[in-house]
């Protein structure tokens, strides 16, 4: 219900941005508040049902991330009353919620290292801080769409279009994942891994890429391309499907509208007030210290309790440090070098890319102590 309400809220928010009337804006905000309350109810009910904070796997984490992004927008709206921020933030929240929904929703027992109150403290703080930092991505996007002449060809306009293309790719991934989950059964393949041991993989999407020598349970050949067994073909298969469908969707948009996505979106920023740069900066000022607490300090305390060391250069730890250093540099350049406007907007977009890489790619692809998530 919350997802549907947020989807509907985009319409009055868009009308409010394009018109002078206040009715549409109030309706859009009311729907957003209602959706946020429903999301919190869901979160509390699932917490009671599973008897621990529901942030222990990718479905739960991405769902909470999306909830906190909605809440972060409502905080920013309370401070700045900028409806256009919601017009761009809510779709990103929906994309995150949709992405989370492709993962298994079943409840499973916590592994021993997660059986701690620090699961609640560490992960929820990271998700909330990441959501606030993600608001700066939306406002940075708005600033660039408002100030750049997207009809001209330049490095900035090409880069902006690439960012929008990546968002379309994620939408394509959500769509194709949902399609296969509703219309096709999972396919189990077996193969020999790099150690020469028999291994099985369950494909929710049609196998295009498989490991060398992979066959179905019946011994039938499967897949169009075989990859070395040193590569996780199942995950690569998902990435290939995402880019295939995303590229088709992006191409269809270009062919039907005869415009780039940035040109399509630019009119929605025509009445934007010159506050986006300040909001981007304020979001980072709020989110950065929270991330330092949750992503580093609380994480190191829990690591000492769970693994008897504060720091071990696990991939997740390394990218948390990279995220911290990036936003520290963001604030340094802003305060010491006077970086404002377009420079701040690009830093906000790059920072969001680092957050997504850390929360998604590192968890799913790079092997480490956090791979269970």
């Amino acid at each position: 219900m919350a997802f549907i309400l947020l989807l509907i809220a985009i319409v009055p928010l868009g009308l409010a941005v394009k018109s002078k009337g206040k009715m549409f804006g109030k309706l859009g905000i009311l729907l957003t508040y209602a959706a946020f309350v429903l999301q919190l109810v869901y979160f509390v009910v699932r917490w009671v049902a599973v008897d621990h904070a529901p942030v222990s796997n990718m479905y739960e984490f991405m769902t909470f991330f999306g909830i906190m992004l909605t809440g972060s927008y409502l905080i920013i709206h309370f401070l700045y009353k900028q409806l256009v921020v919601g017009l761009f933030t809510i779709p990103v929240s929906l994309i995150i919620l949709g992405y989370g929904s492709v993962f298994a929703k079943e409840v499973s027992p916590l592994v021993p290292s997660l059986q701690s109150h620090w699961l609640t403290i560490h992960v929820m703080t990271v998700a909330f801080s990441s959501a606030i930092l993600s608001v700066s991505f939306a406002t940075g996007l708005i600033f660039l769409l408002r100030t750049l002449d997207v009809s001209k060809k330049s490095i900035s306009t090409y880069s902006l279009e690439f960012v929008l293309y990546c968002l379309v790719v994620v939408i394509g991934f959500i769509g194709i994942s949902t399609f296969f989950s509703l219309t096709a059964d999972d396919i189990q393949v077996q193969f020999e891994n790099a150690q020469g041991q028999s291994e099985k993989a369950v494909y929710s999407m049609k196998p295009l890429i498989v490991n060398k020598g992979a066959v179905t349970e019946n011994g039938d050949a499967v897949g169009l391309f075989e990859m070395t067994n040193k590569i996780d073909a199942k995950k690569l298969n998902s990435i290939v499907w995402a880019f295939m469908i995303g590229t088709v969707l992006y191409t269809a948009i270009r062919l039907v509208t005869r415009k780039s996505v940035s040109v399509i979106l630019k009119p929605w920023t025509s009445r934007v007030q010159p506050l986006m740069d300040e909001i981007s900066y304020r979001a980072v000022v709020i989110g950065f210290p929270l991330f330092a607490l949750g992503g580093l300090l609380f994480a190191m305390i829990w690591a000492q309790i769970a693994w008897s060391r504060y720091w071990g250069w696990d991939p997740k730890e390394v990218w948390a440090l990279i995220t911290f250093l990036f936003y520290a540099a963001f604030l340094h350049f802003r305060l010491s070098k006077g970086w404002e406007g377009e420079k701040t907007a690009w830093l906000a977009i790059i920072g969001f890319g680092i957050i997504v890489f850390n929360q998604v790619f590192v968890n799913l692809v790079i092997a480490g102590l956090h791979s269970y998530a």
Side-chain angles (χ1 to χ4, degrees), residues 55 77 291:
V55 288
H77 179 266
F291 185 86

Short mmCIF file of all heavy atoms in Angstrom, two decimals, residues 55 77 291:
data_model
loop_
_atom_site.label_atom_id
_atom_site.label_comp_id
_atom_site.label_asym_id
_atom_site.label_seq_id
_atom_site.Cartn_x
_atom_site.Cartn_y
_atom_site.Cartn_z
N VAL A 55 16.73 -5.95 9.37
CA VAL A 55 17.73 -5.34 8.49
C VAL A 55 18.89 -6.32 8.27
O VAL A 55 20.03 -5.92 8.07
CB VAL A 55 18.26 -4.01 9.06
CG1 VAL A 55 17.22 -2.91 8.98
CG2 VAL A 55 18.73 -4.17 10.51
N HIS A 77 11.70 18.49 3.44
CA HIS A 77 10.53 19.30 3.07
C HIS A 77 10.09 20.16 4.25
O HIS A 77 9.68 21.33 4.07
CB HIS A 77 9.38 18.42 2.62
CG HIS A 77 8.14 19.20 2.27
ND1 HIS A 77 7.12 19.43 3.16
CD2 HIS A 77 7.77 19.84 1.12
CE1 HIS A 77 6.18 20.15 2.59
NE2 HIS A 77 6.55 20.42 1.36
N PHE A 291 26.93 8.80 9.39
CA PHE A 291 27.60 7.68 8.73
C PHE A 291 28.90 7.35 9.43
O PHE A 291 29.27 6.17 9.55
CB PHE A 291 27.87 8.01 7.25
CG PHE A 291 28.46 6.85 6.50
CD1 PHE A 291 27.65 5.88 5.93
CD2 PHE A 291 29.85 6.71 6.38
CE1 PHE A 291 28.19 4.80 5.26
CE2 PHE A 291 30.39 5.62 5.71
CZ PHE A 291 29.56 4.66 5.15
#
